[in-house]
Amino acid sequence: MSQATVLLVGFGITNRAVGAQLKARGCRVIATDDAADGQLRSQAAALGVDLRERPAPDDWPDLVAGARAVVPTPGLPESHLALGAAAAAGTPVVSEFDLAQRWDSRPTLAVTGTNGKTTVTLLAAAMLEASGIAVRVAGNTETPLVEAIADPQCDAFVVEASSFRLGHSRCFRPSVGAWLNFAPDHLDVHASLSSYRGAKAALWRRAGEHTTAVVNGDDPVVVSHTPGRGRVLTYGLSEGDYHVNGGALWAESEKLADIAELRRSQPHELSNQLAAAAVAMAGGAHLEGVRTAMATWAGLPHRMALVAEHGGVRYYDDSKATTPHAVCAAVRSAAPAVLIAGGRNKGLDLSPLAEVADGVRSVVAIGEAASEVERAFAGRCPAVPASSMDEAVGLATERARIGDAVLLSPGCASFDWYGSYAERGDHFARVVRAMIGGSP
């Protein structure tokens, strides 16, 4: 691609890393951005990237026609004019994954799924590290894959593979690819549920005889996309190559861990640990490395994190749960619960929340989607709106009984009240601790 012109649509973290790598390889880079500021302009100038701000609709055909390839920023809506112009001009749209694999031949272990991607990615990386294999975690993280490949010291890359990146990948073929689950999500970006599903399925689209697919046997959508080529490893809570039996986790006939000894042992957490073990062992981890990482795994911040226990009530921060699917898993783990849910809906149908209504004593609905949350539980359990996190925690505490959990598991994005799910979860924790005054 040397001397070619490449068009970057959006100039955020990922495409800045893409731009740097393309410039280092002699390409001309044009970037567009609808929210450019002084800092972004300075970064573009430092990289030698031609930054075009806020292109008009009529500008896209010419921008695309002059490019060898188009690289969209992760999360660019499928309806964006740049993608339509690229299709009309026959200009290929590629992802950072495509470029990274073109430039580096080291193994990639990729993890996708509606929920659990970050957990499985980080745990699999820990298992590999404990086995003496140097890895970098990349992808849908703070480090794009095109940036991670600049590290000459690592043996492999463990990649959190979002639909945003997979959906635009043309030739990405990971050495190991795990698909954890499927449920509606990101319909504010993908044109339809079918399109979102197709983006996830792209993980295995190019599977070959030297690739390994890690398949969640408990998810029928995932199973229906099992590739017909290459090695297949299955996992599940009852059946699979990696499974649960007799109070323990197993890799075929090898015991990985007794559940009673694990720090995280709810059903969805056990499923994630089985998936991570399958990914890591397919990537070369040994049993002792897997066991060591499992024994010390404490979970992720903002994912069913116990904030406090007071007056016989447990308070959990599950702010990372931004889909109904994730909320349902959390409620099943914590029931009976008083649920704090809502925020900015990502174009999803929230009615599946009613599936766990029997485990919810009461609902406190927050944010822009408060009325949608209330409708989801109408006739199933009491629901009340709150106009702030302080009010939400107070109302939830009033409704909780001894033995209950107060569970912040929003099922929505955070961007109505907060800058991130982490900020939302941190605020929830501060409010809880202030309310109980540091009492045990």
Side-chain angles (χ1 to χ4, degrees):
M1 199 176 282
S2 179
Q3 304 303 318
T5 296
V6 179
L7 177 65
L8 310 182
V9 185
F11 201 52
I13 291 174
T14 296
N15 269 359
R16 290 199 296 273
V18 169
Q21 293 294 331
L22 287 167
K23 291 296 294 185
R25 288 163 172 80
C27 295
R28 180 184 179 225
V29 179
I30 298 174
T32 68
D33 202 281
D34 291 333
D37 54 19
Q39 183 178 10
L40 211 61
R41 295 183 195 105
S42 296
Q43 290 169 329
L47 290 173
V49 169
D50 179 3
L51 181 62
R52 310 285 180 89
E53 300 180 32
R54 301 175 181 84
D58 292 344
D59 293 335
W60 287 110
D62 288 339
L63 285 168
V64 167
R68 178 78 62 84
V70 173
V71 184
T73 188
L76 188 75
E78 291 180 356
S79 59
H80 196 280
L81 293 173
L83 301 178
T91 303
V93 175
V94 300
S95 72
E96 66 133 339
F97 289 173
D98 292 326
L99 297 173
Q101 196 157 71
R102 175 180 297 185
W103 297 330
D104 194 284
S105 60
R106 284 172 287 182
T108 54
L109 291 70
V111 179
T112 198
T114 303
N115 296 301
K117 293 187 298 297
T118 306
T119 294
V120 173
T121 298
L122 294 178
L123 181 52
M127 292 170 173
L128 289 157
E129 291 280 5
S131 301
I133 299 171
V135 299
R136 286 288 303 272
V137 172
N140 193 40
T141 69
E142 294 180 356
T143 306
L145 184 56
V146 290
E147 179 180 322
I149 62 173
D151 181 357
Q153 303 301 319
C154 68
D155 302 314
F157 304 97
V158 187
V159 180
E160 182 175 335
S162 69
S163 62
F164 300 156
R165 287 167 164 87
L166 288 173
H168 294 300
S169 294
R170 295 169 60 89
C171 57
F172 179 59
R173 182 165 65 186
S175 310
V176 180
W179 188 353
L180 308 180
N181 44 58
F182 181 80
D185 197 6
H186 299 305
L187 297 185
D188 51 346
V189 171
H190 294 285
S192 65
L193 186 61
S194 175
S195 178
Y196 173 53
R197 178 171 171 165
K200 290 294 189 188
L203 178 75
W204 292 334
R205 192 170 294 148
R206 299 160 195 90
E209 59 178 323
H210 299 299
T211 61
T212 299
V214 175
V215 180
N216 181 0
D218 293 333
D219 190 303
V221 172
V222 173
V223 171
S224 72
H225 287 276
T226 301
R229 292 176 295 171
R231 181 187 183 201
V232 174
L233 293 174
T234 59
Y235 72 93
L237 294 179
S238 57
E239 297 180 351
D241 300 306
Y242 290 71
H243 59 275
V244 177
N245 186 40
L249 304 185
W250 296 80
E252 298 180 328
S253 60
E254 297 282 357
K255 181 188 285 191
L256 298 174
D258 289 313
I259 294 174
E261 297 175 356
L262 297 174
R263 299 173 68 178
R264 304 297 291 259
S265 59
Q266 298 298 337
H268 67 279
E269 294 166 332
L270 297 180
S271 182
N272 286 340
Q273 291 179 72
L274 289 170
V279 169
M281 294 184 75
H286 53 60
L287 273 171
E288 287 311 309
V290 170
R291 289 167 175 159
T292 297
M294 275 188 171
T296 56
W297 178 251
L300 298 177
H302 312 296
R303 192 71 180 100
M304 288 302 293
L306 181 63
V307 173
E309 186 168 354
H310 179 67
V313 176
R314 293 158 290 127
Y315 293 81
Y316 287 101
D317 166 16
D318 193 45
S319 183
K320 200 173 189 300
T322 60
T323 67
H325 183 267
V327 175
C328 290
V331 170
R332 291 184 182 108
S333 299
V338 178
L339 175 66
I340 301 175
R344 175 166 292 172
N345 194 348
K346 298 185 287 183
L348 305 180
D349 176 11
L350 300 187
S351 63
L353 293 171
E355 295 175 10
V356 291
D358 290 347
V360 176
R361 188 176 304 284
S362 184
V363 176
V364 180
I366 62 173
E368 292 176 359
S371 61
E372 295 176 73
V373 171
E374 291 184 83
R375 283 197 297 272
F377 287 98
R380 304 295 300 272
C381 65
V384 61
S387 59
S388 68
M389 187 62 75
D390 293 79
E391 184 182 12
V393 171
L395 289 169
T397 299
E398 290 174 6
R399 286 158 173 73
R401 302 178 187 174
I402 292 174
D404 285 357
V406 168
L407 173 64
L408 171 67
S409 191
C412 295
S414 59
F415 303 123
D416 51 349
W417 288 1
Y418 302 98
S420 67
Y421 72 79
E423 183 182 329
R424 176 172 60 191
D426 288 341
H427 188 208
F428 169 78
R430 289 196 304 273
V431 171
V432 169
R433 291 178 183 129
M435 181 194 66
I436 66 178
S439 302

